[in-house]
Amino acid sequence: MSAELRLVPGRAPARADGPDLAAPQRLARSIDAIRHGILLIDPPGRVAVCTGPARALLARLGAGGDAPSLRRLLRLARAGAGLPVREVVARLRGPAPLAVALHGCSVEVEMHAVPGEGWAVVLEDVSARRAAEAQALALARLDPLTGLPNRLQLREHLDAALARLRRKAEGCAVLLIDLDRFKPVNDTLGHPVGDALLQKVADRLRAIVRAGDTVARIGGDEFVVLQAGVAEPGEAQALARRIVDLVGRTYMIEGQLLTIGASVGVALAPADGSDADRLMKNADLALYRAKLDGRGTFRFFEPAMDARMQARRRLELDMRQALARREFQLHYQPQLNLADERLVGCEALIRWRHPERGLVSPLDFIPLAEEIGLIVPIGEWVIRQACRDAAAWPRPLSVAVNVSPAQFKSDRLVETIVSALGNAGLPAGRLEIEITEGVLLQDNEKTLETLHRLRALGVRVSMDDFGTGYSSLSYLRAFPFDKIKIDRSFVTDMCAKADSCAKADS
């Protein structure tokens, strides 16, 4: 005859062919092999079956060694879940498990109704999983290279600081730091040295902040210091000055003496914003100003910075459309041979005729075009248009075109010039390319190769603005320029200043 296990209220389960008081114990032993803890509770609320894993888990939660009553189980669940009993019961009856944590043990509890028999309770030890999740969450909020908080954790700390601002009127400051001259370290000495340098910068920043402040790394060479409890701007100013000074001191890495700098933008709460996004944005605007002012310094946010940045953004958007709208024009400055007052050529000067702004000065848009990378397509247009215009001039008038350092970095420069000359039908000897000393400062070997390729085509090469940069005669020896254009500042007051005159040896 087959056996049937039933939980009968008020007494132990029985077999159909007669009472079997040991059936629950045999059942408990048989399901002890299941790693989850299992309890069977009869309709009156008595624990009829409690497996070994369930006893062990309940003991870790503080229930003692004996099988507890349902009432005690509910008290444990209330204490471990931090919820009222009614809420605990509602959660246990819900579709998702109830999380209970006590004494360093985390358990998920599920309760399933067994029609006519009571309830089955399943306990799962999730302590290891919770610890792994907590560790993964902590690692996800740290920068792996420096161990500093990353952007995510910085946002949490900033939100907390702004919450204190609202509750206690406790101000704070955001100091956005960008390393100066860091890229050449990576490019010349390699990323391992660059990484070691970033770690040392992080150590220095940790050393100068207070216990309640936060130092975070949010990008390649960008750091943020969140200064808490700022009562007046002077406190942030003192910290910014220390950062510029300390970061700018020499580093010794793998036998190399390295010197970098720091530019810092500062935004104060609540004066410059009371939400995280606005504070970070305003600190970034202040940082941009610090870079424009020569780097290695700090600047506080000012409302005018935002207005200037908005105007710059509108100018950038307009400039991106100017090529397609054919708003750029070339004006030509004549070049005369003073010996016989003969016109020998013209220099192409770009102008931007904006439909609303009118004539925009190159001083306003050329630096921006170089910064955002538009100078390359604009420069290509200038070369092509100048060649087309010069092809219609009487021979042998030449045209001179300025080429920026950014164009020299492009691999397309020589090909662009060849294409422009061919399409316009202009002999290469009637084109003159003007470069500045800045071109020779970047990649000397590659630059000289490009210059020699241009010379091989028959294009003439001139150095422009000589005297405004390093003015090194070694540049003139590195490449035989066809022409050197000495900047006005180099010869201004030359006749009036005694130190401008050459003195003959006695």
Side-chain angles (χ1 to χ4, degrees):
M1 184 177 295
S2 62
E4 180 183 358
L5 177 67
R6 295 186 299 112
L7 291 177
V8 180
R11 56 190 175 90
R15 293 171 60 93
D17 56 350
D20 185 356
L21 300 179
Q25 287 73 23
R26 288 205 308 273
L27 176 62
R29 287 195 300 271
S30 66
I31 58 178
D32 274 352
I34 301 175
R35 67 180 181 88
H36 295 338
I38 297 176
L39 296 96
L40 301 181
I41 301 174
D42 62 18
R46 291 173 299 206
V47 177
V49 173
C50 183
T51 65
R55 289 178 184 274
L57 283 176
L58 292 171
R60 290 176 60 189
L61 290 172
D66 299 329
S69 64
L70 181 60
R71 186 181 300 275
R72 190 169 184 187
L73 285 173
L74 290 175
R75 285 202 300 268
L76 276 176
R78 181 188 63 184
L83 299 171
V85 173
R86 290 181 180 274
E87 183 70 18
V88 167
V89 173
R91 293 283 188 89
L92 286 172
R93 290 175 175 174
L98 175 69
V100 176
L102 283 172
H103 309 298
C105 179
S106 296
V107 177
E108 287 187 348
V109 184
E110 296 182 49
M111 189 169 72
H112 305 278
V114 182
E117 304 291 349
W119 298 273
V121 179
V122 180
L123 310 177
E124 181 183 2
D125 184 0
V126 294
S127 301
R129 191 174 80 199
R130 289 283 185 268
E133 290 172 351
Q135 183 180 16
L137 181 61
L139 291 175
R141 297 161 67 246
L142 292 177
D143 170 51
L145 177 64
T146 62
L148 294 174
N150 60 12
R151 188 182 295 270
L152 176 62
Q153 189 175 166
L154 171 67
R155 181 59 181 259
E156 295 172 357
H157 288 196
L158 184 51
D159 287 341
L162 294 175
R164 289 193 299 273
L165 170 65
R166 290 187 288 271
R167 292 195 314 270
K168 305 178 181 178
E170 179 182 301
C172 62
V174 173
L175 293 88
L176 185 56
I177 306 157
D178 186 78
L179 301 184
D180 305 327
R181 303 183 300 278
F182 174 76
K183 187 176 183 301
V185 174
N186 259 349
D187 293 344
T188 58
L189 300 178
H191 289 280
V193 173
D195 289 347
L197 179 57
L198 290 172
Q199 291 169 337
K200 286 189 176 291
V201 170
D203 292 339
R204 291 188 182 185
L205 292 176
R206 285 190 187 98
I208 62 175
V209 300
R210 301 167 303 179
D213 298 336
T214 299
V215 181
R217 180 180 176 227
I218 62 170
D221 61 346
E222 279 193 325
F223 295 82
V224 173
V225 173
L226 171 59
Q227 187 181 22
V230 176
E232 57 180 25
E235 298 177 34
Q237 182 179 11
L239 179 57
R241 185 176 286 113
R242 289 201 304 272
I243 290 171
V244 171
D245 173 61
L246 194 59
V247 172
R249 296 182 186 178
T250 303
Y251 301 79
M252 173 65 76
I253 298 177
E254 296 185 8
Q256 300 278 350
L257 282 174
L258 304 177
T259 302
I260 58 172
S263 298
V264 183
V266 186
L268 300 170
D272 301 329
S274 55
D275 66 88
D277 290 335
R278 179 168 292 278
L279 276 175
M280 290 296 293
K281 173 193 170 187
N282 290 343
D284 192 41
L285 290 171
L287 173 62
Y288 180 75
R289 185 67 196 182
K291 291 179 180 180
L292 286 180
D293 289 347
R295 300 176 180 269
T297 187
F298 65 89
R299 290 291 180 266
F300 279 76
F301 170 76
E302 299 171 0
M305 292 178 180
D306 191 28
R308 284 195 297 267
M309 186 56 68
Q310 295 298 331
R312 176 184 179 276
R313 178 60 179 164
R314 288 192 296 270
L315 184 65
E316 176 184 337
L317 293 174
D318 288 348
M319 186 164 48
R320 291 187 182 277
Q321 301 174 8
L323 266 178
R325 294 176 176 175
R326 299 182 178 181
E327 294 173 3
F328 290 116
Q329 300 174 350
L330 289 185
H331 292 191
Y332 292 96
Q333 179 174 291
Q335 297 174 330
L336 298 176
N337 185 331
L338 295 180
D340 54 10
E341 297 185 354
R342 178 171 51 89
L343 180 67
V344 295
C346 294
E347 180 181 353
L349 304 175
I350 188 171
R351 296 292 183 265
W352 178 13
R353 189 168 296 280
H354 191 278
E356 297 175 0
R357 303 171 187 265
L359 203 61
V360 182
S361 169
L363 296 176
D364 293 331
F365 72 85
I366 291 297
L368 178 58
E370 290 177 338
E371 182 180 337
I372 64 178
L374 276 180
I375 194 64
V376 173
I378 291 175
E380 290 183 0
W381 175 83
V382 170
I383 292 172
R384 295 182 184 279
Q385 186 62 45
C387 288
R388 283 194 294 266
D389 291 345
W393 299 347
R395 291 174 180 266
L397 293 182
S398 64
V399 62
V401 177
N402 289 280
V403 176
S404 74
Q407 286 176 270
F408 256 80
K409 287 183 180 179
S410 171
D411 296 329
R412 300 184 303 174
L413 177 61
V414 176
E415 288 72 15
T416 298
I417 291 175
V418 171
S419 172
L421 291 172
N423 291 336
L426 183 72
R430 294 178 59 191
L431 175 63
E432 180 180 313
I433 295 297
E434 295 187 357
I435 67 171
T436 61
E437 295 169 81
V439 171
L440 294 169
L441 283 174
Q442 42 191 27
D443 187 345
N444 198 40
E445 185 175 342
K446 183 179 178 182
T447 298
L448 289 176
E449 179 187 352
T450 301
L451 290 174
H452 282 292
R453 289 178 64 190
L454 293 176
R455 172 62 60 77
L457 291 173
V459 175
R460 292 184 295 166
V461 181
S462 301
M463 176 175 283
D464 193 14
D465 295 335
F466 186 77
T468 59
Y470 288 90
S471 306
S472 173
L473 295 178
S474 62
Y475 298 151
L476 307 184
R477 297 176 59 186
F479 182 81
F481 290 94
D482 295 284
K483 184 189 297 182
I484 299 172
K485 299 175 68 176
I486 298 175
D487 189 76
R488 179 185 303 173
S489 62
F490 199 72
V491 296
T492 299
D493 299 328
M494 186 172 62
C495 297
K497 293 182 178 179
D499 58 359
S500 298
C501 301
K503 296 181 179 179
D505 294 334
S506 57

